[in-house]
Amino acid sequence: MMHPTPHATAQAGLGRREFIVFIAAMMAVNALGVDLMLPALPAIGAELQAATANSRQWIISAYMFGFGIGQLVYGPLADRYGRRPILLATLAGFVGASIFAASSATFTALICARILQGLMSASTRVLAVAIVRDRFSGRQMAKTLSIAQMIFFLVPILAPSLGQVLLAFGPWRFIFYALAGFAAFVLAWAAIRLSETLAVERRTALSLGSLRSAYRLTLTNRSSIGYAVAASLTFGGILAFVSLAQQVFGEQFGAGDRFTVLFAVCAFAMGCASFANSRLVERLGTRLISQAGVFALIALSLVHLAVIAGGIETLWTFIAIQALSMTCIGLCGSNFGAMAMEPVGHIAGTASSVQGFITSLGAVAVGSLIGQAYDGSTVPLAIGYLSIGLGALGCVYLVEGGFWFQARNAAPRSPIAKRSH
């Protein structure tokens, strides 16, 4: 059971359940910004004359690029001025950027609008983590983020179907107007219900010296930087699949008419993983669960390559392996994030900014490398996931020094305990 501190509860304004749903809604602004337009990518590319089918992936990557850059700014601002005013200002900016995207007349203009959308929505990631960290820490923080992400993962399940419905009633531009509407709803919710979670006495001065000190601590702490890089790799796997899903299902397997359902199956697997993590993390710990997920991802990637090499891959083998791979990634993400934040909780806003910058831009690089390598087969995706798993395993090894499934500084169990176990 989660036990927020008394002062945090008073400040937060929201009850426990509403708090979790609100955090999920904040995260959903970003998720909708990525997933809602997936069914519209062919129509957008055709109308705005994208050069190639792979060029359409930049509609996703440009958004994530802006999302990564923006996170460097909002953390320090939130640590200085509080969480609430930054959130309100950037949600208003996201509404404006969505309207700009809806009115774009060229592919270049749309890419610029998508970067601006990402810049604005970056605050939701930084502030969601910082606001949760204001109230919780350690395993309780991981559990809270997992519950929020469980709700949040309903968005990728439903978003492509919702996008398809919007396309049935109008052009692809309706999708961006819908994004503006949802962001306006979250903006109103925050303005009415969210109180400031960062007490005045805990705020830090905005100066080059304090920023330099906070950046240095975040970038030199072994757990902070190591788990942020590991999170960027696994997030890159998600981004690669999101960017490629429409092409893989539609072009390789000829199942474009079932795209929204097939995509939902994989997204649902991640939601189940987050639900399981929220139930198990306080009992088993972040390290055991996340490292088990990494090992399983490596094993699944090797199986996938063997299936491809054997010439027996079908739509259904791909769905099964991809859903299981997304489950593994779901077991890693929130735990890596919680472990990265744990040693830098006293500078949660700035640390979340730096870690989010690393995670997002790293994910863009990983996802773009895999996506642009698409050649009409799933080989680049399988190799990419294997590389992600091995890279994340390397990060864990460097952080923990070879102490698998426990913290580097965990006390060893006594011989008596070992025998009794």
Side-chain angles (χ1 to χ4, degrees):
M1 182 174 180
M2 293 174 292
H3 300 286
T5 60
H7 79 275
T9 303
Q11 288 175 335
L14 304 173
R16 173 176 169 268
R17 292 182 180 178
E18 187 182 356
F19 175 80
I20 292 173
V21 175
F22 176 76
I23 293 297
M26 283 177 60
M27 300 165 104
V29 171
N30 176 50
L32 285 171
V34 175
D35 296 323
L36 193 62
M37 73 281 305
L38 292 180
L41 291 180
I44 295 173
E47 181 175 333
L48 300 184
Q49 299 179 334
T52 65
N54 280 3
S55 296
R56 301 195 305 250
Q57 297 173 18
W58 294 116
I59 296 173
I60 306 299
S61 298
Y63 177 92
M64 293 307 304
F65 176 77
F67 183 77
I69 295 293
Q71 290 182 69
L72 279 179
V73 178
Y74 300 124
L77 291 176
D79 281 344
R80 173 64 182 88
Y81 298 108
R83 320 305 191 199
R84 190 173 182 273
I86 306 304
L87 179 63
L88 297 180
T90 52
L91 285 173
F94 185 87
V95 172
S98 299
I99 294 173
F100 173 30
S103 62
S104 297
T106 66
F107 191 72
T108 300
L110 178 62
I111 294 301
C112 291
R114 291 290 285 165
I115 292 174
L116 184 58
Q117 276 188 308
L119 284 169
M120 294 296 104
S121 72
S123 70
T124 62
R125 189 271 175 194
V126 172
L127 296 177
V129 174
I131 290 170
V132 171
R133 184 62 182 82
D134 287 342
R135 295 187 65 175
F136 306 104
S137 63
R139 295 184 181 186
Q140 291 185 356
M141 178 182 176
K143 180 176 181 178
T144 304
L145 286 175
S146 289
I147 295 173
Q149 286 186 343
M150 180 184 66
I151 302 170
F152 156 79
F153 278 132
L154 290 174
V155 175
I157 294 171
L158 300 175
S161 296
L162 178 57
Q164 196 70 58
V165 170
L166 291 170
L167 289 176
F169 287 94
W172 58 265
R173 299 176 190 276
F174 276 28
I175 288 175
F176 290 100
Y177 287 124
L179 282 174
F182 180 74
F185 165 75
V186 179
L187 171 62
W189 190 358
I192 295 170
R193 296 288 296 153
L194 181 67
S195 299
E196 182 57 59
T197 61
L198 184 67
V200 173
E201 61 271 17
R202 292 177 54 213
R203 299 181 188 183
T204 59
L206 191 62
S207 67
L208 288 177
S210 63
L211 286 178
R212 190 182 304 114
S213 176
Y215 286 161
R216 183 185 302 112
L217 176 60
T218 306
L219 292 172
T220 57
N221 181 276
R222 187 191 298 266
S223 292
S224 172
I225 186 64
Y227 281 119
V229 172
S232 76
L233 293 171
T234 54
F235 188 23
I238 298 174
L239 185 56
F241 174 67
V242 169
S243 298
L244 281 172
Q246 198 278 331
Q247 289 172 268
V248 170
F249 290 132
E251 298 174 9
Q252 180 173 348
F253 294 113
D257 56 333
R258 290 172 285 169
F259 166 70
T260 56
V261 175
L262 298 174
F263 185 88
V265 169
C266 296
F268 180 72
M270 286 194 70
C272 290
S274 286
F275 175 75
N277 189 64
S278 70
R279 292 293 198 182
L280 297 173
V281 68
E282 286 192 296
R283 186 190 316 163
L284 301 179
T286 53
R287 285 169 175 80
L288 174 60
I289 294 175
S290 60
Q291 291 175 30
V294 170
F295 281 113
L297 180 63
I298 293 170
L300 282 167
S301 301
L302 292 172
V303 170
H304 194 186
L305 286 171
V307 168
I308 296 171
I312 57 174
E313 179 161 68
T314 67
L315 173 63
W316 304 113
T317 60
F318 174 75
I319 285 290
I321 293 172
Q322 185 63 40
L324 289 172
S325 298
M326 299 296 272
T327 299
C328 295
I329 289 175
L331 293 174
C332 296
S334 59
N335 291 316
F336 283 160
M339 288 187 288
M341 182 59 65
E342 187 60 26
V344 289
H346 58 294
I347 50 168
T350 302
S352 181
S353 283
V354 176
Q355 292 171 357
F357 172 80
I358 293 169
T359 298
S360 298
L361 289 194
V364 169
V366 170
S368 296
L369 282 173
I370 297 172
Q372 292 300 308
Y374 179 65
D375 56 0
S377 76
T378 54
V379 172
L381 195 61
I383 293 175
Y385 273 40
L386 177 59
S387 301
I388 286 167
L390 292 173
L393 188 64
C395 289
V396 171
Y397 179 83
L398 291 174
V399 170
E400 304 295 353
F403 287 81
W404 298 111
F405 305 114
Q406 63 177 324
R408 166 191 285 267
N409 57 354
R413 292 159 58 194
S414 69
I416 294 176
K418 290 180 180 179
R419 285 197 298 271
S420 65
H421 180 75

